[in-house]
Amino acid sequence: MHYNYCTLLSSRAPVAAVAAARALTHVRHPLLACTLRSYASASRGKSSQHMPPGSELAGKSNLTPRIHERLQHLRIRYADLNTRMSGDISDLGREELAKVSKDFSDTGQIVLPYNRLLELYGELTELQQMIDESKDQSLRTLALEERQVALEDVAEAERQIINGLLPKDQAESGGAILEIRAGTGGDEASLFSGELLRMYERHSQLRGWKFNTISSLEEGDRVKEATVEVSGRGVFGALMFESGVHRVQRVPATETQGRIHTSTVTVAVLPQATDVHIEVRESDLRIDVFRASGKGGQHVNTTDSAVRITHLPTGLAVENQQERSQLRNKEKAMQILRARLYDMERQKLDNERRASRNRLIGTGDRSEKCRTYNFAQSRVTDHRINLSLYDLEGIMSGVSLQHIIDRLRIQHDLDELADMS
């Protein structure tokens, strides 16, 4: 059966036909495009047209056959919505029109990248055929270069599709509360806790986020614990995978025999809650004030500026003595309490939804060893995705941390997609 171009653009045309017809419109080199047309004509009607989408990328694509099947249904739905939106909409009420428009827009965010992906599949098939069969070395070189670009475009299209398919979590678009605490290892753990705190601060600066210390217990470079508010777009979505136990292996400065010590630091990343997210009734709170302790100063042990707030239904208690003002300490303690209550509720729902399966990433379980920093080998290993990078300096400077975050995000999204499939 033959299809004209308009028919091929409809969702009901066979996938292979769409891919073969549209692939040539995206090849970047004119000579290569001309040659590919002859390859496409020669291969028309071959059994490859009946191959499933992306079969030439078997083992490399993140999209399973079941996901492709679902995407095909979405293409049909998108075409139906497009027909409806293009026709007479005078019979639609305001609410129904708004619903149809939103459905059309949301579906398009998945279908349009998928259409592009199908084009890329066809393009890759023709390019691979040229690489295998062409005797012209210059054309083969061009085809190899074009194939690499197309593979990168495939990865980007798949990322857009996966993002569109996954349910949206409002918390991921907002800020976060970052809690860092020194674990086992004494002074060495406190030193590394301070280094992690500075790593996150530098990373936040690079991302254009605001980094504001809510409370901290530190002495020089040693940080026993710190609570930080990180504000900006998408902060929690990026940092949520940092929750867990961070292990450091190195020779401490005080070690005289050169032995490597292992210390740990726990990191918890909580979504930044607002009154809209969670309601805290005054009757559920017990507020105690007491004199601040710590380093000397005019207000330490002389005024009742420190505040402890206990949430009676859950037993959660939060203290803050960072500020000289009792009112400011109360405000900051309430901010932390809201974040913890919000995180408890999210964890409860998440555990119910995933009771049948262990999560690979982002549980925030304090007993989970999520990452190891080995200074002797200049290596950082994230155990959840078996990723090792030999760029300790770049990661601790906050620059290369993004590479780990990106890989964790990809694996998290694929796990979510697997649950949906």
Side-chain angles (χ1 to χ4, degrees):
M1 182 178 291
H2 297 285
Y3 299 88
N4 60 36
Y5 192 73
C6 293
T7 305
L8 286 168
L9 292 184
S10 78
S11 66
R12 292 176 176 81
V15 170
V18 175
R22 299 185 65 175
L24 300 177
T25 64
H26 291 275
V27 175
R28 296 155 185 79
H29 196 281
L31 176 61
L32 194 60
C34 182
T35 309
L36 280 175
R37 286 191 183 93
S38 64
Y39 275 94
S41 299
S43 61
R44 188 173 297 141
K46 291 184 178 181
S47 60
S48 62
Q49 282 197 347
H50 302 287
M51 295 164 67
S55 56
E56 70 279 6
L57 297 177
K60 299 179 182 178
S61 175
N62 290 319
L63 304 182
T64 64
R66 288 191 65 182
I67 294 173
H68 275 289
E69 183 180 346
R70 182 180 178 193
L71 289 168
Q72 285 298 310
H73 289 305
L74 284 175
R75 292 182 77 226
I76 295 173
R77 176 166 178 74
Y78 184 71
D80 291 340
L81 288 169
N82 188 31
T83 301
R84 190 174 186 186
M85 293 292 293
S86 302
D88 184 8
I89 57 174
S90 58
D91 60 328
L92 297 178
R94 179 178 298 179
E95 289 186 6
E96 188 178 1
L97 179 60
K99 182 178 181 300
V100 172
S101 299
K102 185 179 185 305
D103 197 7
F104 178 69
S105 174
D106 292 345
T107 308
Q109 290 180 18
I110 302 171
V111 171
L112 296 180
Y114 185 57
N115 286 342
R116 173 63 181 136
L117 185 66
L118 296 179
E119 298 166 10
L120 289 164
Y121 285 157
E123 181 179 325
L124 283 165
T125 299
E126 304 300 341
L127 286 167
Q128 190 59 53
Q129 187 179 355
M130 176 182 290
I131 293 167
D132 294 339
E133 299 177 8
S134 177
K135 296 179 181 179
D136 188 325
Q137 185 58 40
S138 60
L139 280 177
R140 290 184 77 253
T141 301
L142 285 173
L144 284 167
E145 293 174 356
E146 192 72 22
R147 184 178 185 276
Q148 184 57 41
V149 174
L151 286 172
E152 293 172 2
D153 290 346
V154 164
E156 175 60 22
E158 287 190 354
R159 185 192 65 79
Q160 293 177 13
I161 292 166
I162 291 171
N163 285 344
L165 286 172
L166 292 176
K168 303 295 185 292
D169 187 344
Q170 271 191 329
E172 291 190 23
S173 63
I177 300 295
L178 178 68
E179 296 182 344
I180 300 176
R181 288 185 175 84
T184 58
D187 286 347
E188 178 63 17
S190 297
L191 283 169
F192 187 60
S193 179
E195 291 174 51
L196 283 184
L197 181 64
R198 289 185 287 276
M199 176 186 76
Y200 290 125
E201 182 175 14
R202 286 191 288 266
H203 183 71
S204 298
Q205 291 170 349
L206 292 170
R207 296 288 297 268
W209 299 333
K210 292 182 179 178
F211 195 88
N212 177 45
T213 301
I214 296 177
S215 64
S216 66
L217 184 57
E218 54 187 280
E219 185 176 340
D221 291 335
R222 296 177 174 85
V223 177
K224 294 208 69 172
E225 60 180 67
T227 303
V228 176
E229 175 189 16
V230 188
S231 304
R233 185 176 179 82
V235 173
F236 181 68
L239 295 182
M240 58 190 285
F241 310 115
E242 295 301 300
S243 291
V245 176
H246 294 241
R247 183 176 68 174
V248 58
Q249 295 175 326
R250 64 183 175 188
V251 179
T254 55
E255 172 59 51
T256 58
Q257 299 182 25
R259 291 175 298 185
I260 294 177
H261 289 223
T262 299
S263 306
T264 62
V265 172
T266 60
V267 176
V269 182
L270 313 173
Q272 197 172 46
T274 66
D275 291 327
V276 177
H277 291 135
I278 191 162
E279 180 184 356
V280 182
R281 292 185 300 222
E282 287 287 337
S283 59
D284 290 338
L285 301 177
R286 186 179 73 236
I287 301 176
D288 302 309
V289 295
F290 54 97
R291 293 186 177 183
S293 61
K295 295 180 182 179
Q298 182 178 353
H299 291 266
V300 175
N301 291 322
T302 59
T303 62
D304 292 335
S305 59
V307 174
R308 181 190 300 110
I309 302 178
T310 304
H311 186 248
L312 300 176
T314 62
L316 275 177
V318 176
E319 293 182 7
N320 196 76
Q321 58 178 18
Q322 188 76 7
E323 305 291 335
R324 294 183 176 183
S325 162
Q326 184 186 111
L327 180 61
R328 287 289 296 145
N329 281 329
K330 180 182 176 183
E331 290 174 352
K332 289 192 172 185
M334 279 299 300
Q335 185 180 18
I336 299 171
L337 179 64
R338 283 198 186 95
R340 290 184 182 174
L341 289 171
Y342 183 40
D343 187 58
M344 280 181 62
E345 187 62 27
R346 290 182 76 258
Q347 287 289 338
K348 178 183 175 183
L349 293 173
D350 194 57
N351 289 336
E352 290 173 356
R353 183 166 58 91
R354 293 179 167 272
S356 62
R357 172 177 181 268
N358 292 328
R359 294 190 66 187
L360 178 64
I361 293 171
T363 63
D365 186 347
R366 301 302 188 273
S367 63
E368 178 186 26
K369 178 183 67 177
C370 70
R371 193 175 299 157
T372 295
Y373 304 75
N374 188 299
F375 277 68
Q377 300 175 12
S378 188
R379 169 179 57 83
V380 177
T381 298
D382 197 288
H383 303 284
R384 296 162 293 182
I385 52 176
N386 295 320
L387 172 68
S388 290
L389 298 177
Y390 290 85
D391 185 19
L392 179 68
E393 184 178 349
I395 291 167
M396 296 305 295
S397 70
V399 176
S400 300
L401 179 61
Q402 189 63 43
H403 297 317
I404 301 178
I405 290 174
D406 289 344
R407 293 287 294 274
L408 287 165
R409 164 55 65 180
I410 291 170
Q411 188 61 53
H412 171 269
D413 290 349
L414 290 176
D415 286 348
E416 291 278 329
L417 210 56
D419 280 350
M420 293 172 58
S421 298

